[in-house]
Amino acid sequence: MSRPENEPTPLEGVPDKVATELPQLTPDELRNTIIYAQELLRFHDETASPVEPGPNEEILRATKRDGYTEVVKRTTCAEECDDCPHGPYLYHVKEETRPESGTKVRWMFLGEVYPDEE
């Protein structure tokens, strides 16, 4: 079965069974699944991922590395320019502890990813 053209692609590491089932869920079922997954992460003492797509962004791949997360994402302009979408671009994302308390997520832009690098 083929995916609709604009349907998101599962990130690397998502089990095939989960990737097959999720698109079939209703929006309410998806929201409940997200909540359940977040509860499971807390149960396993894991922190939430600092990698969240912003408006008009699509995360193509997120790979956890030692000390950072490697992210490849594509962006679309709000004005829908002729060159959209832009990318894919490679970033290193780190969650840093702030001296005054709390944390801050830092995105370090590394450059464009070419098809033979993906």
Side-chain angles (χ1 to χ4, degrees):
M1 180 171 97
S2 66
R3 293 178 177 273
E5 185 176 319
N6 59 349
E7 182 178 312
T9 303
L11 296 178
E12 184 178 304
V14 173
D16 290 341
K17 183 175 180 181
V18 174
T20 301
E21 296 290 328
L22 284 177
Q24 299 175 33
L25 299 179
T26 66
D28 281 339
E29 291 170 328
L30 283 169
R31 280 188 274 286
N32 290 336
T33 301
I34 291 167
I35 291 167
Y36 176 58
Q38 290 171 333
E39 289 172 354
L40 284 173
L41 279 172
R42 281 190 292 277
F43 175 76
H44 290 291
D45 294 324
E46 290 285 331
T47 57
S49 170
V51 177
E52 296 293 332
N56 303 317
E57 294 180 344
E58 176 187 9
I59 293 180
L60 303 176
R61 183 176 71 240
T63 307
K64 194 164 179 91
R65 305 282 187 202
D66 189 24
Y68 67 94
T69 302
E70 181 181 279
V71 177
V72 175
K73 72 177 179 176
R74 180 178 289 136
T75 60
T76 305
C77 296
E79 303 86 34
E80 297 292 328
C81 76
D82 292 338
D83 294 329
C84 279
H86 302 281
Y89 300 117
L90 176 64
Y91 296 83
H92 282 184
V93 182
K94 292 176 72 171
E95 195 166 13
E96 300 174 344
T97 303
R98 305 290 300 216
E100 64 274 6
S101 78
T103 60
K104 178 169 178 75
V105 177
R106 293 249 187 236
W107 287 72
M108 183 187 321
F109 175 74
L110 298 176
E112 189 166 359
V113 177
Y114 297 98
D116 58 344
E117 295 176 352
E118 278 195 279

